[in-house]
Each structure stands twice: as C-alpha cells, then as structure tokens.
Amino acid sequence: MPGFKLAIDGPAGSGKSTISSLIAKKMGWTHIDTGAMYRAVTLQAIEQGIDLNDESAYSFLETSHIHYDLDKIFINDRDVTEDIRSDAVTKNVSLVSSFPYVRKRLVSLQKKAAEEGNIVMDGRDIGTVVLPHADLKIFLTANVEERAKRRLKENLKKGKQSEMEKVIEDIATRDQKDTTRKESPLRIAEDAIILDTTHLTIEEVVSKIIELTDKKENKHGV
C-alpha cells in the first residue's frame, strides 16, 4: 500500500468528515468519507422500497457502483451528495450499517480505494477494521452538547430547523447504536491518538493532525 494512510475515527458530530476533507485539501491528498458510503446504501435501500430490516434484501449491492470522489458521493454515476443527508437516511443509517453483509461489501470497497496514494479516510472503524495498519490513527471526540451544537449549525446552514434537545437525543442514540453493534462497533484503536475537540476550533484540530502527520512522515520517511 504505497503512500501515507491517515485513519480518522470518531462518533457522530465529532467533525471528522469536515476535518478530514480540510486536511486532504491542504496536503493534496485523497479524502474518503466512509460514512457517506453507508448513507448512500441507506438512500438506495429506501428508494428501492426494500424491507430495511431484512439483511438479504441488500443484495442490490452486488450490482451497485458506489464511489467517493472529490468530496462527492456517487451511486452508479449519480451524484447523491445532498440526498444522503435527508432525515430518512439519518434515521436509518445505523440500522443499515449494522448488517455484516453491508459492512463486508463496503469495507472491501474502502480497502481497495486506499491502495494507492496518500489517503485520509474517516469513519467509525477505519483504524480498527478498514486500515488496521494505517500510518497514523486519530480518534476525534467531544462532549455530546458540543457535538449537538455543531450538528445544529450544520442543519441551519442547510435550512433545516432543529431543536437542541432533539439533536442531543439523536446523537446519544447514535452513539449507543454505534458502540454496541455486533459488527465492527465504534471503538478506539489501541495505537490511536485521542483528540478531544470540545474546546478546539476546526482550524486548530486540522493543524494539530497535520503536525502529527508530518512528524510521522519524517520519522518513517514515508
């Protein structure tokens, strides 16, 4: 696997996708948002009208082409970057991503996507499952209230009205589902560096991770 592999994990609202995207742009690397891939599968399942609780109904993945390119997610060459952020997708993505079949299919795609070049990949099981031998593993975290504030800001930018209490409840529920699912639960890799971003700006987090990456590159001559 030539190139530097940077794995960034963290719970909902920790800012991992935004931060990973900014790091990739600053360093000229490729960013892969795995959460967007699971959302794309969820969107496709909803649109096809399958029983979301039936794991065998996700066989459509055998012929689907899902890929992430330049911060945009595509299903069979259709740009679904905005569509995957719908309330329906957000509500069901934890269920869809809990199925072993779905995770197996997407992890395979993610591993393949990371084979060449310098990669920044973010998600919930990157350092533990997708890229267990990543050159640098970061686990981003922040308290629930701060993560809810960030999600609230994102929603407002998109013209979506949300109640703070409801957002906190949704994030807490997502945390519970992500950390207790049987298949690839959210957990901190043993060799990951934990960054609590509660009192840090996005720019400060980006700078810190780039600093850690530079140190790692210089040390190993990647």
Side-chain angles (χ1 to χ4, degrees):
M1 284 185 132
F4 195 97
K5 313 305 173 190
L6 170 58
I8 299 182
D9 290 302
S14 57
K16 55 190 180 294
S17 295
T18 299
I19 287 163
S20 297
S21 178
L22 288 171
I23 290 170
K25 285 175 182 175
K26 283 179 177 289
M27 301 188 74
W29 291 10
T30 298
H31 171 222
I32 301 171
D33 178 351
T34 63
M37 296 175 77
Y38 285 103
R39 282 177 171 271
V41 174
T42 306
L43 175 66
Q44 203 169 6
I46 291 171
E47 291 182 339
Q48 292 194 14
I50 69 167
D51 178 356
L52 298 183
N53 292 286
D54 181 5
E55 185 174 3
S56 66
Y58 292 86
S59 57
F60 63 79
L61 286 175
E62 296 293 333
T63 55
S64 291
H65 178 52
I66 296 172
H67 69 285
Y68 195 77
D69 186 41
L70 298 176
D71 279 348
K72 291 185 180 296
I73 186 79
F74 297 84
I75 300 176
N76 301 328
D77 297 323
R78 168 192 162 202
D79 183 352
V80 295
T81 307
E82 295 300 324
D83 297 340
I84 63 170
R85 300 298 167 183
S86 71
D87 289 338
V89 170
T90 298
K91 181 180 177 181
N92 290 290
V93 66
S94 285
L95 169 65
V96 175
S97 62
S98 70
F99 293 121
Y101 170 73
V102 173
R103 298 203 76 85
K104 182 179 178 181
R105 291 289 301 177
L106 290 195
V107 166
S108 177
L109 289 175
Q110 291 154 13
K111 285 178 178 289
K112 186 172 181 59
E115 285 180 353
E116 299 292 334
N118 298 315
I119 303 292
V120 183
M121 186 179 287
D122 73 269
R124 287 172 172 76
D125 62 349
I126 311 306
T128 54
V129 176
V130 185
L131 298 177
H133 303 297
D135 298 287
L136 177 62
K137 300 177 186 179
I138 302 292
F139 191 93
L140 296 179
T141 187
N143 64 40
V144 174
E145 289 75 16
E146 178 59 29
R147 287 189 280 140
K149 286 179 188 175
R150 294 171 184 173
R151 186 55 54 85
L152 206 59
K153 280 185 180 179
E154 287 178 14
N155 290 346
L156 286 172
K157 281 183 180 179
K158 296 171 185 174
K160 293 168 61 179
Q161 294 295 324
S162 307
E163 294 292 332
M164 184 66 169
E165 288 184 6
K166 179 66 167 60
V167 176
I168 289 176
E169 181 184 328
D170 289 345
I171 286 179
T173 298
R174 185 72 195 271
D175 285 351
Q176 195 274 332
K177 289 179 179 178
D178 288 341
T179 56
T180 59
R181 68 178 179 230
K182 289 184 179 180
E183 191 72 16
S184 302
L186 171 67
R187 62 184 179 83
I188 304 171
E190 290 182 4
D191 52 346
I193 294 173
I194 301 171
L195 284 182
D196 187 332
T197 69
T198 302
H199 303 294
L200 298 175
T201 65
I202 288 174
E203 291 74 18
E204 286 172 334
V205 178
V206 169
S207 295
K208 179 64 176 175
I209 295 176
I210 289 177
E211 179 186 329
L212 290 168
T213 300
D214 287 342
K215 284 182 180 178
K216 203 79 170 182
E217 282 189 299
N218 293 333
K219 182 177 179 181
H220 295 287
V222 177

